[in-house]
Amino acid sequence: MDQLSTRTDYEFLGFRLDTVLQVLVAPGGEIIALPARAYAALRYLVDRNGELVDKAALMRSVWPDTVVEENNLNQCILTLRRAFGESPGERRFILTVPGRGFKFVAPVRSVPVGGD
């Protein structure tokens, strides 16, 4: 079956994660182009919605062949929070579990999308 004939996008709190175009679509329909690493981190977290994701596992997923510092991951998470329009201290989407990792906490709905 053609990869584009059926796919699954994700919706959460009015946002849509388009898994083919690899963009985040805001509630008003505007496209939020994320840096590749931020998109990869978001996709990994959304795929594991509600689960605590260990920082090391997330870093291995986002930077599979590169050794990076934890600050790179923190910058990805900050980029995502800004894309969601969160104010400082607000955690409607991504919860930080100090010393352990992150958890995507917004309710996620899988949306099958058929092609033409």
Side-chain angles (χ1 to χ4, degrees), residues 8-64:
T8 301
D9 286 352
Y10 300 96
E11 290 183 345
F12 40 87
L13 300 179
F15 286 87
R16 177 182 283 253
L17 186 62
D18 186 307
T19 59
V20 170
L21 297 178
Q22 297 188 352
V23 295
L24 182 64
V25 181
E30 53 276 352
I31 292 177
I32 302 169
L34 297 171
R37 304 293 188 184
Y39 174 85
L42 178 58
R43 177 71 189 266
Y44 193 85
L45 290 168
V46 167
D47 282 342
R48 290 153 187 81
N49 181 45
E51 298 175 22
L52 176 61
V53 175
D54 179 73
K55 286 181 183 182
L58 184 53
M59 288 174 68
R60 281 191 305 273
S61 171
V62 175
W63 292 274

Side-chain angles (χ1 to χ4, degrees), residues 89-112:
E90 184 179 18
R91 301 295 180 251
R92 293 180 299 141
F93 297 92
I94 302 170
L95 176 68
T96 301
V97 180
R100 299 201 44 216
F102 301 95
K103 183 186 290 192
F104 196 84
V105 295
V108 175
R109 184 171 72 96
S110 297
V111 181

